[in-house]
Amino acid sequence: MRSPVPGLSASEGDKVSDSTPLLQDAPQAEAAPACCSARYNLAVLAFFGFFVLYALRVNLSVALVDMVDSNTTLADNRTSKECAEHSASNKVLHTPTGKRYQWDAETQGWILGSFFYGYIITQIPGGYVASKVGGKLLLGFGILGTAVFTLFTPIAADLGVGALIMLRALEGLGEGVTFPAMHAMWSSWAPPLERSKLLSISYAGAQLGTVISLPLSGIICFYMNWTYVFYLFGIVGIIWFVLWIWLVSNTPETHKTISHQEKEYIISSLKNQLSSQKSVPWIPILKSLPLWAIVVAHFSYNWIFYTLLTLLPTYMKEILRFNVQENGILSAVPYFGCWLCMIISGQAADHLRTKWNFSTICVRRVFSLIGMIGPAVFLVAAGFIGCDYSLAVAFLTISTTLGGFCSSGFSINHLDIAPSYAGILLGITNTFATIPGMVGPVIAKSLTPENTIKEWQTVFWIAAAINVFGAIVFTLFAKGEVQNWALDHHGHRN
């Protein structure tokens, strides 16, 4: 590809590499068709893997309603009387048939939060191991372990709260390696101008897993009992693992059925972006300002994401006063919007880079700004429309939907700045980004002692301010080119 700026010397060309979508002077094989290709098969299998992963993560939040004795939760009832009850005209009475436990609200909080204490531990180790041995087995066994532990949830619940908390923490350990492992695999599989599409497809499975598992778990609890929630999703996870091990390879070179054209296309497109260094340049990584820009953006975005993921059902139940059946469906709607937005934004981002010659950093900045400031605006708006149920649901849905733009923004910027160490970089950023899941809901609960709309406005304002701050930091300090420390002495940008 020729430089869009004529008359530049080699050194000058190096300075503008961030404004060109592909590495210059790198020999490019003809693009291999997407249909039935090995790289898109990997994206689809990864999609279903993250679908299962998030189904395994969120199913407990639904099942817990049926696991807890309703008499225990009466003393903890915090339903606000500011809004009139908004319920369906035809209520269907439900008599739970599964075993019930005497767990108060604080105990339930520990059970739901224990997942993150395991999840945060394996982020960086997961990225490091994936960079050394590949992500296939690490991702596969991470999801398999989570699925198997999920099958033992009813037994752990019978053994006591301590056993269930320990089991959920172990599930978090298994899930903690998955995103870094997937990033590590894409560093060998995703051509630079297809990164947004491929990664948005694979990670969109997490949103659809949330969309499907929330109402499906409620239906299973309603017509059967809560134990089957864990049995069903656990078995689906094991089936996925078999397909993953059978059909996927760590790199294009080791794939058994990939076409020669596609293999050459992927390898040539990544030729000058990967490092052959055996050791990890930890000091340069930790001193990299573009990495810390991603850290701040990831932390900030997850503050809104986890606040809504854990507290949206609570807000709809206790403030807007939707009943359980409506709540399950309406809580899932925003994540359907986010899933749709992730798929569309991935296509749009790569289209802007290939057809319109937008620079990588321009695309990452614009999509991150939309995906962070947009949700902040509509989240604050949702807190100020009072008891207007339709508008509240609409604003919360728009807020979560716009967050899908970030999947083609900062979320994949690790692969732009250091593809060889993308798994490690994601492990670092996701370690910090897990903290909001641990402290965000706790802070929100402490800010809403009376559970009034005004108190929830404060919660939304804080989340929005953090998100805007993250968007500004990323816009100022992010980069779209491979960093010098991510290339060995033979590597070069142009």
Side-chain angles (χ1 to χ4, degrees), residues 46-58:
F47 172 91
F48 285 109
F50 285 100
F51 177 99
V52 171
L53 198 70
Y54 265 64
L56 294 170
R57 181 189 292 199
V58 304

Side-chain angles (χ1 to χ4, degrees), residues 31-268:
C35 181
C36 302
S37 63
R39 65 192 187 281
Y40 276 87
N41 288 343
L42 172 62
V44 171
L45 272 169
F47 172 91
F48 285 109
F50 285 100
F51 177 99
V52 171
L53 198 70
Y54 265 64
L56 294 170
R57 181 189 292 199
V58 304
N59 57 12
L60 179 63
S61 62
V62 179
L64 197 62
V65 176
D66 261 16
M67 294 171 70
V68 176
D69 190 340
S70 57
N71 293 325
T72 308
T73 58
L74 286 176
D76 300 311
N77 188 5
R78 301 172 71 243
T79 302
S80 170
K81 298 293 188 290
E82 286 188 86
C83 297
E85 185 171 359
H86 184 276
S87 54
S89 55
N90 296 321
K91 286 188 180 179
V92 182
L93 296 176
H94 167 46
T95 305
T97 57
K99 191 170 181 180
R100 316 296 292 279
Y101 302 96
Q102 305 290 322
W103 297 334
D104 59 21
E106 184 179 357
T107 303
Q108 294 174 49
W110 277 104
I111 292 170
L112 290 172
S114 57
F115 169 89
F116 292 105
Y117 292 95
Y119 187 70
I120 198 171
I121 291 172
T122 50
Q123 293 291 328
I124 297 175
Y128 178 77
V129 172
S131 71
K132 295 297 182 183
V133 302
K136 173 186 172 179
L137 291 179
L138 195 62
L139 176 61
F141 281 106
I143 296 180
L144 175 67
T146 305
V148 171
F149 286 131
T150 298
L151 291 172
F152 287 100
T153 301
I155 297 173
D158 270 346
L159 291 174
V161 173
L164 184 56
I165 288 175
M166 177 84 65
L167 186 78
R168 285 292 289 178
L170 289 172
E171 287 184 31
L173 286 173
E175 286 204 21
V177 304
T178 53
F179 281 94
M182 190 73 254
H183 251 50
M185 287 189 72
W186 282 125
S187 69
S188 298
W189 273 100
L193 291 182
E194 293 186 18
R195 279 177 184 153
S196 303
K197 283 184 278 196
L198 291 167
L199 271 77
S200 63
I201 290 171
S202 56
Y203 292 139
Q207 306 302 326
L208 196 63
T210 304
V211 170
I212 301 296
S213 63
L214 283 174
L216 183 58
S217 296
I219 291 169
I220 293 170
C221 288
F222 190 88
Y223 289 104
M224 301 164 78
N225 71 54
W226 60 264
T227 59
Y228 290 98
V229 170
F230 303 106
Y231 296 147
L232 172 68
F233 290 118
I235 291 169
V236 169
I238 293 171
I239 294 171
W240 173 87
F241 171 78
V242 174
L243 293 172
W244 177 260
I245 294 298
W246 179 33
L247 297 172
V248 167
S249 296
N250 273 317
T251 64
E253 292 93 332
T254 58
H255 198 282
K256 295 175 182 176
T257 60
I258 189 173
S259 68
H260 177 73
Q261 181 190 6
E262 184 182 9
K263 185 194 296 185
E264 288 302 311
Y265 166 56
I266 296 172
I267 293 172
S268 66

Side-chain angles (χ1 to χ4, degrees), residues 316-457:
M316 287 188 171
K317 176 188 174 186
E318 296 178 355
I319 299 295
L320 301 180
R321 301 181 72 184
F322 286 98
N323 67 29
V324 177
Q325 288 93 340
E326 290 175 302
N327 196 349
I329 296 170
L330 291 174
S331 295
V333 167
Y335 298 100
F336 177 77
C338 188
W339 168 75
L340 205 59
C341 185
M342 287 178 72
I343 299 294
I344 295 171
S345 66
Q347 301 292 321
D350 282 344
H351 182 78
L352 288 173
R353 296 166 73 210
T354 54
K355 303 299 184 185
W356 292 81
N357 206 31
F358 274 59
S359 67
T360 300
I361 189 57
C362 178
V363 171
R364 300 291 179 245
R365 284 171 176 164
V366 169
F367 278 61
S368 295
L369 283 170
I370 297 171
M372 297 180 75
I373 293 180
V377 170
F378 282 96
L379 185 64
V380 170
F384 281 89
I385 46 86
C387 298
D388 189 323
Y389 308 104
S390 301
L391 264 183
V393 173
F395 284 172
L396 290 169
T397 299
I398 294 170
S399 177
T400 308
T401 297
L402 289 175
F405 278 95
C406 287
S407 65
S408 296
F410 74 82
S411 291
I412 61 174
N413 193 221
H414 318 74
L415 282 159
D416 299 322
I417 65 172
S420 294
Y421 309 106
I424 294 173
L425 265 55
L426 181 64
I428 293 170
T429 66
N430 214 17
T431 297
F432 287 94
T434 302
I435 295 172
M438 302 165 70
V439 303
V442 175
I443 292 173
K445 288 283 186 183
S446 68
L447 291 172
T448 55
E450 304 299 323
N451 222 20
T452 63
I453 290 177
K454 191 170 183 59
E455 290 173 343
W456 277 94
Q457 287 173 357

